[in-house]
Amino acid sequence: MTLSSHIKNIISHTGPISISEFMQLALSHPLYGYYQAKEPFGTKGDFTTSPEISQMFGEMIGAWSAHIWQQMGCLQDVVIVEMGPGRGTLMADFLRSTAKIPGFHNSISIAMVETSKRLQELQRNNIGNMHPRISWYEDVKSLPQKPIIVIANELFDALPIRQYIKQNGKWHEKMLGVDKNGELAFTLSPEIKMEGKLIENAPENGVVEICPQGGAIIKELVERVKMHNGAVLIIDYGYIETQYKDTLDAIGGHQHRNILEDIGALDISAHVDFQALKKAADTAGVRVFGPTTQGSFLQKLGIGMRAEMLCKNASDEQKHEIKTALARLVGNSPEEMGELFKVISFTTGNIVPEGF
Ligand code: SAH
């Protein structure tokens, strides 16, 4: 069976499905979903993430987190939570680079939140013995009720979204159905009622993307931070103000591809609406910092100096690699990540995160 025929089968029983149902199946089906079945990361995979580009990324996040922990009064029993850790590279660099901070490693435990069984296994192999207290969880709800410092790099873009479009002044949900020839095809729901400021301001043919799972995760994290103290750091590609655009995209082998082809073999993602994240956190009553750009954030954390230090003992070839990686992480061109990626943080109490 292919994932495509499985989806057609569902549609033949229930009628058209939402984009979020489609994304959930394509990315996270327990047998055929993309994160379960494929190795997405690296030059041979479909995309490269910041921690995979350079050790400096995880090092900066490590220093950022240690600084938060110090502001929490070097508290005992703080949980460092990484959500959607991929290959575990960020956490490996985090742990290696923070090992000498007095008291830090003794005070923390590590919680990896990962839905893919295959990636959990890979993470265990890569970092399982780097700290005495590392555990794995499938969702935020099951995390221990303790102070937390949460990191999520490129998680929210992978969460399923629903899409709504305004046509002739009326709202419809974008759905996936089958056409006359029995092939998968996008279609629109009958008219639906939509409300709110976002909806009122939408232009004709404007698309509103909503990420219910993202909203639920933020809600859970905010409640925990308010109850137990802590901070959350979210880094992802996305926009600071709602764009009213369809940002759904499929990537295979570093190329844009048709979303309905090779389902389960392509990475499907959407841009993250940082305005919505900010609003959700503001409403819940935590302190919000950002959104800012990844370039500005990393520069303020001192990534430039770290690159210079690494260059000191490096060969010419290594120096070139370090400089290329730095440019990719902080540069402003559309191929670089400095401007495209945004960073937002939520904290409680008097905690002021670095980088904003
Ligand atoms: N943070 C990593 C990987 C990003 S890819 C990096 O920067 O390299 C997205 C990751 O999120 C994958 O590990 C995927 O399996 C995981 N994931 C997807 N949906 C998730 C969810 N609902 N909860 C936790 N992890 C999820």
Side-chain angles (χ1 to χ4, degrees), residues 28 35 41 47 49 51-52 82-86 113-116 119 123 138 153-155 158-159 213 217:
S28 303
Y35 284 114
F41 311 105
F47 58 90
T49 59
E52 302 296 333
E82 187 179 357
M83 305 211 36
V113 182
E114 173 60 64
T115 39
S116 156
L119 287 174
Q123 291 156 16
E138 271 183 38
N153 185 58
E154 288 212 44
L155 167 75
L159 300 177
Q213 209 176 322
I217 290 174

